[in-house]
Amino acid sequence: MPLSRLMVHQFRNIKACDMSLSSGFNFLIGPNGSGKTSVLEAVYMLGHGRSFRSSVTGRVIQNEAPELFVHGKFLNSDQFEVPIGINKQRDGSTEVKIGGQSGQKLAQLAQVMPLQLIHPDGFELLTDGPKQRRAFIDWGVFHTEPQFYDVWMRFRRLNKQRNALLKTATTYRELSFWDKELSVLAELIDHWRGDYITQLTQVAKPICSNFLPEFDITLKYYRGWEKETDYQTLLERSFDRDCALGYTFSGPNKADLRIKVNSTPVEDVLSRGQLKLMVCALRVAQGQHLTSLTGKQCIYLIDDFASELDSARRKRLAVCLKETGAQVFVSSITEGQISDMRGSDSKLFHVEHGAVEQG
Ligand SMILES: Nc1ncnc2c1ncn2[C@@H]1O[C@H](COP(=O)(O)OP(=O)(O)OP(=O)(O)O)[C@@H](O)[C@H]1O
Ligand SMILES: [Mg+2]
């Protein structure tokens, strides 16, 4: 779902900008501190309802300004332009408008604007704890399984209630009624996640071998509790331990994606540039898989494109992104770093002191 236009107001150092976009590559070129990442952050906010750099809205709203706006127009599957917008106030209140209708939920933003962000710290997906990898899996399941969002929300609610009950319960009987529904939801989430990773692996394998031909990469989904046991049995068996901890230890909220190269965890083998390429491969695979299942295109946001990558690897990534046919936003300090990627359908924007001008 490419954006044909992007308008940003009072967002970090960007007072106001209005960009008419390419449905292919959009380059943002400018010196340090000029506002390149802020433009990407604004697009990200349009798809996620929040920033990827700060959870505090007040830090994203321009200093001294009362609120921020990000508006855009995206092309729907019939190639009609649909307006989309988000407004955030200093008190944290948010308004979302899609197709002229206000009061829309953040999940609807995500639904119409699937985004993939690749930024310089993106390799944390591979090196940090499992939280980011669960988010990675759930991005895919959210976009391909229509019931996932509601089921996940119900699971979270019930799990919270269970954790509260664990603090006072004396026998398992007090929990067993709740655990029945919780288990059905947990098994469903596990089933969707497992299926998604099986499918994604097929798409990711050739991209990984294109980017990192010297390594044999494997993805293995871990569901968050032992393989042989159904979830309800596990909950009953773990009652004493969970009571002592005051929360449910095992379950879908402990799921992970274990990624290995030549049977060793990736973070022990790959260099930083290779880790970045691996993350790019996984994210491009998610986008391709989404398109093949639903016909939807995701938008790629690539911040500081050149960091960690040599020119041969940059070229490989650029070719791969071009082949997806998706809309791509790329930030870079110099034009030289993106010269290989420029084509007739691309647009270049110069960013300086928060002003964005088409070049
Ligand atoms: N709330 C805010 N109001 C005004 N300016 C802000 C706010 N938050 C951050 N800034 C400033 O916005 C500028 C833009 O930062 P941004 O990270 O977008 O730059 P960049 O072009 O990506 O730089 P780099 O090449 O170093 O990554 C910075 O100078 C920063 O100090
Ligand atoms: Mg930046």
Side-chain angles (χ1 to χ4, degrees):
M1 309 296 184
L3 282 167
S4 52
R5 199 160 160 204
L6 177 71
M7 288 155 278
V8 183
H9 287 264
Q10 298 174 169
F11 194 108
R12 297 219 188 252
N13 70 335
I14 301 168
K15 178 108 195 89
C17 83
D18 184 349
M19 302 162 71
S20 165
L21 300 166
S22 160
S23 57
F25 280 73
N26 295 278
F27 300 104
L28 299 155
I29 310 296
N32 293 136
S34 56
K36 304 178 298 292
T37 303
S38 303
V39 175
L40 300 183
E41 200 179 8
V43 179
Y44 185 93
M45 185 172 277
L46 209 47
H48 283 263
R50 60 185 166 79
S51 155
F52 59 82
R53 288 202 283 190
S54 175
S55 54
V56 182
T57 306
R59 297 200 185 134
V60 187
I61 298 174
Q62 187 155 74
N63 298 336
E64 319 298 333
E67 58 188 341
L68 65 79
F69 295 93
V70 186
H71 290 270
K73 286 190 178 154
F74 70 89
L75 294 173
N76 70 8
S77 47
D78 300 321
Q79 296 300 301
F80 282 123
E81 276 194 332
V82 182
I84 184 169
I86 186 163
N87 160 241
K88 276 184 182 274
Q89 309 272 336
R90 283 211 175 265
D91 65 5
S93 58
T94 300
E95 199 196 348
V96 174
K97 253 187 176 179
I98 304 173
Q101 284 194 310
S102 44
Q104 304 278 313
K105 300 242 165 60
L106 294 182
Q108 282 162 307
L109 277 183
Q111 196 65 255
V112 296
M113 288 236 337
L115 297 172
Q116 287 286 354
L117 169 72
I118 297 166
H119 61 93
D121 297 331
F123 56 80
E124 287 170 355
L125 174 71
L126 306 172
T127 55
D128 277 16
K131 196 172 162 198
Q132 289 203 40
R133 289 185 293 279
R134 273 197 298 280
F136 172 85
I137 302 172
D138 289 347
W139 184 96
V141 187
F142 171 84
H143 284 292
T144 51
E145 177 47 64
Q147 291 177 49
F148 175 74
Y149 182 73
D150 287 342
V151 168
W152 177 244
M153 285 301 167
R154 263 167 56 211
F155 173 83
R156 275 182 43 168
R157 247 190 336 267
L158 274 178
N159 197 44
K160 217 169 147 188
Q161 274 175 22
R162 183 179 202 272
N163 289 344
L165 277 173
L166 277 171
K167 298 196 169 62
T168 55
T170 50
T171 66
Y172 181 68
R173 284 242 306 271
E174 293 167 58
L175 267 74
S176 59
F177 172 78
W178 300 101
D179 281 0
K180 262 194 198 117
E181 189 183 347
L182 194 71
S183 305
V184 172
L185 300 174
E187 301 281 355
L188 202 52
I189 291 164
D190 167 47
H191 169 71
W192 286 331
R193 284 173 168 172
D195 266 7
Y196 177 71
I197 292 303
T198 307
Q199 292 167 29
L200 183 72
T201 305
Q202 297 309 311
V203 186
K205 275 252 166 198
I207 305 175
C208 288
S209 17
N210 175 20
F211 284 10
L212 298 161
E214 59 275 51
F215 298 108
D216 177 33
I217 290 154
T218 53
L219 306 182
K220 202 164 169 221
Y221 165 65
Y222 167 66
R223 66 173 172 171
W225 73 96
E226 62 207 55
K227 243 197 235 156
E228 305 73 27
T229 318
D230 68 86
Y231 193 51
Q232 195 168 359
T233 309
L234 178 104
L235 288 176
E236 183 168 2
R237 208 202 289 152
S238 318
F239 175 68
D240 289 336
R241 182 187 60 182
D242 288 350
C243 274
L245 289 169
Y247 65 91
T248 312
F249 184 74
S250 303
N253 41 359
K254 283 278 161 67
D256 197 359
L257 180 63
R258 292 173 178 165
I259 306 167
K260 293 192 172 176
V261 285
N262 308 339
S263 311
T264 310
V266 267
E267 65 271 27
D268 293 347
V269 180
L270 300 185
S271 71
R272 282 170 67 98
Q274 288 168 336
L275 285 169
K276 177 162 175 170
L277 280 168
M278 174 84 206
V279 170
C280 293
L282 291 174
R283 297 212 177 272
V284 170
Q286 281 206 310
Q288 282 194 0
H289 184 50
L290 174 77
T291 307
S292 69
L293 276 189
T294 66
K296 276 189 193 173
Q297 282 279 17
C298 73
I299 297 175
Y300 293 93
L301 306 176
I302 308 192
D303 194 18
D304 207 355
F305 176 70
S307 77
E308 317 280 3
L309 299 182
D310 59 42
S311 80
R313 304 307 190 298
R314 289 205 295 263
K315 232 180 242 171
R316 213 172 283 179
L317 173 59
V319 167
C320 185
L321 284 167
K322 224 169 226 166
E323 279 170 5
T324 66
Q327 186 174 44
V328 186
F329 291 79
V330 179
S331 82
S332 180
I333 291 170
T334 65
E335 274 186 63
Q337 288 161 337
I338 51 99
S339 55
D340 292 333
M341 301 165 89
R342 291 195 67 183
S344 53
D345 64 339
S346 66
K347 285 195 177 177
L348 186 138
F349 299 89
H350 291 287
V351 188
E352 203 138 355
H353 302 299
V356 184
E357 302 285 342
Q358 195 179 328

